[in-house]
Amino acid sequence: MKLALAIAMVALTACNSQQADRAVPPATSDLSVSSASSDPSAPSALPVMTVYKSPTCGCCKSWVDAVKAAGFTVEVHDVDDVTPIKEDAGVPADKRSCHTAIIDGYAIEGHVPPATIKKFLAEHPKAAGLAVPGMPAGSPGMEMPGQQPDHFDVIAFQANGSSSVYESH
């Protein structure tokens, strides 16, 4: 497990060093390959998403279920400490949440809605990734029956630490 984590961290570091200098992420990277769809003519084939989370986090599992239901192929890695993944992916400390995903060279931090991830991937912006800081009620994986959902922003962040609101929910 530690060897796999070390390999993933090296790949993330290589991906991040390339990402700062490119305007458009490559179609595939060491951490993301073509989607499960074997039809090359499929118009919206999604790359594989790799998720790093605590083995005991129920809301993380619920978020993974939501992105799978939205059509993403997901590889899940349960790790005792997600902090090194977040650091290597360039997630600003004030934008962090409970889990981190890597897809198509981008970091997806926390409970980002699957539709927002699809839109972001289609646009291929020059950014390090998206984040929903904290764990807002009503975000994917944080639904609470009978409770009014919180307003939350999806933040686009850059490798240099700057950020802006990408979407509001």
Side-chain angles (χ1 to χ4, degrees), residues 51-124:
V51 177
Y52 299 90
K53 67 175 198 60
S54 164
T56 59
C57 185
C59 69
C60 295
K61 181 184 178 320
S62 295
W63 182 80
V64 167
D65 291 344
V67 294
K68 284 181 178 179
F72 288 92
T73 300
V74 182
E75 295 176 358
V76 177
H77 298 277
D78 287 333
V79 295
D80 292 329
D81 185 6
V82 186
T83 303
I85 302 295
K86 295 174 188 307
E87 290 171 354
D88 287 345
V91 179
D94 65 337
K95 305 295 183 256
R96 294 183 181 173
S97 183
C98 51
H99 57 268
T100 303
I102 305 298
I103 185 167
D104 206 18
Y106 292 112
I108 306 297
E109 179 69 13
H111 296 268
V112 178
T116 304
I117 299 168
K118 288 179 180 180
K119 175 183 169 191
F120 187 78
L121 292 174
E123 293 174 353
H124 288 287

